[in-house]
Amino acid sequence: MAKFEKHIFICGNQRPPGHPRGCCDPAGRAELQKLFKQKLAERGLRTTVRANQSGCLDQCEHGPNLVVYPDAVWYGGVTLADVDEIIDCHIVGGKPVERLMMKDSCINTPNCEHKPPTPDRNPDRNVVGTH
């Protein structure tokens, strides 16, 4: 089998309702990932593009979110209605969907305009015995 040309990592993190950071898949149904897989298969892209469910991508305030590699394009606030546009414009057409792209200043930073300031951006890491 040939290598995949692109990987789409879709956050499937779950947290309890009311968690201050929110979560990308509160119902735990992996609906975004399943729809990406379905739509990629319909377009004959199953062997060249992989849509993987991932753990937390640590961009919770921008969720639901995903990242496309090797392009390193991060998308936030993604809905089921956005899947066709991401596939058609970015995956097939090579042009990222700008309206859904996260700002570089928000990716992997302790603070951005969307995050309330706190000393530790991942409160789950402060609980002994959890990851």
Side-chain angles (χ1 to χ4, degrees), residues 17-123:
H19 191 283
R21 293 198 69 198
C23 71
C24 290
D25 190 8
R29 294 188 189 127
E31 291 175 322
L32 270 175
Q33 188 252 354
K34 289 175 185 174
L35 187 58
F36 266 102
K37 285 181 73 110
Q38 173 193 331
K39 298 292 186 169
L40 290 167
E42 288 173 5
R43 289 166 174 80
L45 299 171
R46 187 183 348 213
T47 60
T48 58
V49 181
R50 178 79 179 167
N52 287 84
Q53 184 81 350
S54 77
C56 183
L57 295 172
D58 204 22
Q59 305 302 315
C60 311
E61 291 80 4
H62 305 103
N65 59 72
L66 60 92
V67 61
V68 178
Y69 281 111
D71 308 344
V73 173
W74 291 76
Y75 290 112
V78 179
T79 68
L80 295 173
D82 298 319
V83 171
D84 283 318
E85 184 178 9
I86 292 170
I87 292 172
D88 293 339
C89 292
H90 184 167
I91 304 303
V92 175
K95 185 177 185 311
V97 181
E98 289 189 34
R99 69 178 180 82
L100 295 171
M101 288 175 60
M102 287 187 219
K103 294 179 183 180
D104 286 344
S105 62
C106 290
I107 300 169
N108 294 327
T109 59
N111 295 302
C112 81
E113 62 192 78
H114 305 101
K115 298 177 184 179
T118 61
D120 181 355
R121 288 300 324 137
N122 190 344

